[in-house]
Amino acid sequence: MAMTGVLRPGHVQIRVFDLEESARFYRDVMGLVETGRDNQGRVYFKCWDERDHNSYIIRQAEEAGIDFFGFKVLDTATLDKLEADLNAYGIETTRMAAGEMLETGERVRFTLPTGHVMELYAEKSSVGNGLPNANPGPWNGASEQGIAPVRLDHMLLYGPNVAANKKIFEEILGFFLVERVLAEDGQFEAALWLSCSHKVHDIAFVEHPEPGKLHHCSFLMESWEKVLRAGDIMSMNEVSVDIGPTRHGITRGCTIYAWDPSGNRFETFMGGYQPYPDYETITWDWDHFPQGLDYPQRKLHESFLTIVT
Ligand SMILES: [Fe+2]
């Protein structure tokens, strides 16, 4: 948890072409738990081991991509303080009313220099993970249904001016820079992995000319075997796979990337290490970026670098 009280990525809203086809995909293939639908036509999901009501929301649209993402903060006092800090820094915020999203309190919304709409919020109803709080078993039926990741882990977003994003995340939101990739000139930070926790990243950004783009939402699996099982389920369901199974040099994550029916990339991954805020940043130079991306194959995958929604 960041010293400022930013806890974790809590929700993301994704645009899909065909709502029912996508709802089936996320429920039956990804194995997310459908927790509700609202009067705007949005479908709400959570991962089986998450306790809050929702983390992954889809809505039907003409274009795929990301509408917004939200980080949960410790409490409403933290929310008020962070909003004041953002405003003092010169960032305009708007308050989204409690209940505008199902089971979610007021959200402080603002636009990042990369064009992404970000929110902070303090309250979302806890519905539990289907296990009792006293003497729980280690898993239940929902954990075996489809790919069944344990949580929404992080997002990788593409947009211009990631340096300005970095300042906001480091100076206001209390994140620290875990890893980075330098461009060919050896100076310019082309990609950043930032953490507000003990995780190797809670969010990552890549410099890209078009604003507001989604590279992927990532879902955490419990083991390498579960990542491979996710790959089996993708193949059984003829899901389009981008890369993997493989391991990144960057973050050491073991991963598969694939696309949902609308072309939104997602990741099923496990592993990485647990950094502390006092760790020095790991740097990848341009010549070693192929290893950073795909350690065993040492390959810059064209599709991975260029396809975003
Ligand atoms: Fe990722």
Side-chain angles (χ1 to χ4, degrees):
M1 184 185 83
M3 305 298 275
T4 50
V6 178
L7 299 179
R8 61 174 176 272
H11 61 233
V12 60
Q13 182 168 305
I14 298 296
R15 297 187 297 269
V16 298
F17 298 142
D18 182 323
L19 192 73
E20 291 310 324
E21 180 194 23
S22 298
R24 262 196 311 280
F25 171 79
Y26 282 109
R27 190 181 55 233
D28 300 340
V29 180
M30 277 300 287
L32 306 186
V33 180
E34 185 178 328
T35 55
R37 295 186 178 220
D38 69 14
N39 57 15
Q40 295 181 41
R42 297 181 290 190
V43 186
Y44 292 66
F45 297 95
K46 68 185 273 293
C47 300
W48 79 268
D49 204 20
E50 290 173 324
R51 287 125 193 261
D52 284 357
H53 180 271
N54 57 74
S55 59
Y56 198 84
I57 299 106
I58 58 172
R59 81 165 172 99
Q60 186 157 309
E62 299 287 302
E63 235 184 292
I66 184 170
D67 280 333
F68 59 84
F69 64 93
F71 272 72
K72 193 175 192 188
V73 305
L74 186 59
D75 52 25
T76 51
T78 304
L79 188 65
D80 294 344
K81 158 100 175 56
L82 288 171
E83 183 175 32
D85 291 348
L86 286 163
N87 295 156
Y89 189 84
I91 297 166
E92 257 180 61
T93 55
T94 52
R95 288 251 175 178
M96 303 298 291
E100 195 276 339
M101 273 177 67
L102 289 184
E103 304 294 330
T104 305
E106 255 193 314
R107 292 129 61 203
V108 169
R109 177 178 277 196
F110 52 100
T111 303
L112 291 167
T114 50
H116 299 95
V117 176
M118 178 171 176
E119 300 177 340
L120 301 172
Y121 67 95
E123 290 168 345
K124 201 184 283 285
S125 301
S126 175
V127 297
N129 60 359
L131 302 171
N133 287 333
N135 315 311
W139 50 271
N140 60 19
S143 68
E144 306 305 299
Q145 201 58 48
I147 291 173
V150 292
R151 71 170 182 233
L152 173 68
D153 190 87
H154 62 268
M155 284 81 58
L156 171 58
L157 305 173
Y158 274 39
N161 201 2
V162 299
N165 275 23
K166 180 182 151 189
K167 269 173 79 73
I168 293 164
F169 278 83
E170 285 186 330
E171 293 175 21
I172 303 173
L173 302 176
F175 286 55
F176 59 102
L177 183 64
V178 183
E179 301 207 17
R180 63 181 184 158
V181 173
L182 298 181
E184 280 165 294
D185 68 0
Q187 300 287 323
F188 184 77
E189 290 178 331
L192 307 168
W193 284 259
L194 293 147
S195 179
C196 65
S197 65
H198 208 22
K199 287 157 57 185
V200 73
H201 52 331
D202 287 291
I203 194 158
F205 294 103
V206 170
E207 187 76 23
H208 181 74
E210 290 167 287
K213 292 294 176 184
L214 171 69
H215 187 276
H216 68 266
C217 293
S218 184
F219 296 96
L220 180 67
M221 307 303 299
E222 288 167 289
S223 66
W224 180 228
E225 284 70 24
K226 291 261 176 155
V227 176
L228 296 176
R229 179 178 174 275
D232 294 340
I233 293 171
M234 289 174 200
S235 192
M236 286 170 191
N237 290 278
E238 298 183 3
V239 173
S240 299
V241 172
D242 187 10
I243 304 185
T246 190
R247 182 211 277 276
H248 293 303
I250 298 163
T251 75
R252 301 183 196 160
C254 300
T255 180
I256 302 175
Y257 291 92
W259 286 286
D260 81 354
S262 308
N264 294 301
R265 192 188 282 95
F266 65 91
E267 174 180 31
T268 53
F269 94 106
M270 60 76 62
Y273 54 95
Q274 288 88 44
Y276 288 94
D278 65 337
Y279 277 24
E280 282 178 37
T281 301
I282 304 286
T283 298
W284 293 83
D285 59 44
W286 192 254
D287 290 345
H288 292 86
F289 182 39
Q291 278 181 318
L293 176 56
D294 185 335
Y295 203 79
Q297 291 198 79
R298 303 183 298 282
K299 195 168 152 190
L300 286 182
H301 299 263
E302 176 76 14
S303 59
F304 190 86
L305 297 178
T306 55
I307 298 176
V308 289
T309 53

